Amino acid sequence: MIDPSPIPMVFVGGTGRSGTTVIARLLAQHRALELIPIEARLHTDSGGLADLVRGVVSAADVVEAILGRWYRRSGLGPAQGLVAIADRDRLERALDRFSAAAQDDAVLAAGGLLRDLFDHVAADGGALGWVEMTPPNIRMAAELHRMLPGARFVHTIRDGRDVACSVVPLDWGPDDHLSAIDWWADGVRAGARALASVPPEQAHVLWLEDLLGDGRDEALASMLARLRLEPDVLVSAYLDVAMSPTRGNVARWQAELAGDLRNRVDARYREQLGGLVADGVIEMPGVRT
């Protein structure tokens, strides 16, 4: 099939704490891609472009939210939010174009706004395209595909036991390990369901651990091929230097959990994993179980 877009536009996503950031940074080493240095969120979060595509909010609502909570995100410092990729004048010009286009076609206007904001980041970095790393990208894959039919997606999945250990200490998400396993499984299922709306040749499912073990070169080659990206020595070098089982906290659950809790977390994970496999949501990840 002919690639519907010669410009590589890659959305990386998955459940929180599944390695979406590190995979986006890995891909951004490729000469064709520039990293969008923030989780832009205007295209995935409530009240944003995904809701516009669904008909839940108006273009005016989206503009208000972008100029408000997404332009400079509270408590995260001056370089967080869309201010990190567009000054106020550039953003307002982009929003004027978006508002005008939305009067005729809201979906086309939404895609145009993303291109308006992201393409210049790529151009400033000397790259042809870009990679964006907001975790809900995969859950919003159906809407994003409508906005940008040529976009490509990487669904990052990490061992749910390690995700649970990573998310429980944080001030968002589940606060106990068993609930975190269920949350992980629900997220994987929701992502796969959304990704089913995307042509299979534009989507890649990646278990994070596959890039951290003995088969890492094959896993990297498979991902690049699905994204229609040529092999790149800079990507391979980054993988070798910056990504390892130790850096990726592989099997951290075995070191952090003990006794009855460890056994219950392992059992809940195996139960949820088995359900995902039985339902055809994912393939059994082999020795990692």
Side-chain angles (χ1 to χ4, degrees):
M1 176 178 288
I2 297 175
D3 187 343
S5 174
I7 304 298
M9 302 175 289
V10 180
F11 291 106
V12 176
T15 64
R17 313 306 295 176
S18 287
T20 53
T21 298
V22 70
I23 297 305
R25 288 176 176 165
L26 171 69
L27 289 170
Q29 306 307 307
H30 197 284
R31 59 186 179 275
L33 296 176
E34 184 72 15
L35 179 69
I36 304 303
I38 56 166
E39 295 178 5
R41 295 203 167 270
L42 79 158
H43 56 297
T44 60
D45 287 10
S46 177
L49 294 176
D51 277 350
L52 175 69
V53 169
R54 295 193 196 102
V56 176
V57 299
S58 69
D61 294 330
V62 172
V63 170
E64 181 179 359
I66 289 173
L67 292 175
R69 65 181 185 271
W70 288 314
Y71 182 61
R72 193 184 299 274
R73 296 212 295 275
S74 140
L76 295 175
Q80 292 299 315
L82 296 174
V83 64
I85 63 172
D87 61 33
R88 190 77 177 196
D89 287 343
R90 179 187 286 275
L91 180 62
E92 290 182 353
R93 290 195 301 271
L95 290 175
D96 286 343
R97 291 188 288 271
F98 162 73
S99 297
Q103 296 179 32
D104 297 321
D105 188 326
V107 176
L108 184 64
L113 178 59
L114 290 180
R115 292 289 304 271
D116 220 346
L117 294 176
F118 295 167
D119 284 4
H120 88 87
V121 176
D124 288 350
L128 181 63
W130 43 263
V131 54
E132 203 280 338
M133 58 185 174
T134 304
N137 280 335
I138 299 304
R139 287 194 293 106
M140 299 300 158
E143 291 78 12
L144 291 172
H145 177 62
R146 290 183 62 194
M147 295 180 217
L148 296 171
R152 309 161 199 181
F153 297 84
V154 177
H155 184 186
T156 301
I157 304 176
R158 181 186 181 193
D159 188 307
R161 295 163 295 194
D162 287 338
V163 170
C165 288
S166 183
V167 75
V168 164
L170 304 179
D171 59 3
W172 57 267
D175 57 9
D176 71 87
H177 291 81
L178 295 179
S179 296
I181 293 291
D182 296 339
W183 172 82
W184 167 83
D186 289 344
V188 171
R189 191 178 295 274
R193 184 167 56 245
L195 209 59
S197 300
V198 176
E201 65 272 14
Q202 291 174 233
H204 184 71
V205 177
L206 172 74
W207 280 84
L208 179 64
E209 291 82 3
D210 284 348
L211 282 179
L212 301 174
D214 294 339
R216 58 196 294 156
D217 292 337
E218 293 80 2
L220 176 61
S222 177
M223 177 170 63
L224 293 180
R226 180 59 62 91
L227 297 176
R228 301 176 189 82
L229 297 171
E230 297 292 331
D232 192 307
V233 294
L234 294 179
V235 180
S236 298
Y238 186 89
L239 180 64
D240 290 339
V241 171
M243 297 180 66
S244 67
T246 301
R247 286 177 177 267
N249 284 319
V250 173
R252 66 179 286 182
W253 69 277
Q254 294 183 354
E256 293 185 10
L257 304 179
D260 182 57
L261 177 59
R262 174 174 170 171
N263 292 335
R264 286 188 292 128
V265 167
D266 187 33
R268 181 69 64 89
Y269 172 71
R270 291 174 182 275
E271 177 186 357
Q272 289 285 14
L273 181 65
L276 292 170
V277 172
D279 292 343
V281 176
I282 58 175
E283 296 182 359
M284 182 64 78
V287 297
R288 293 194 302 279
T289 60

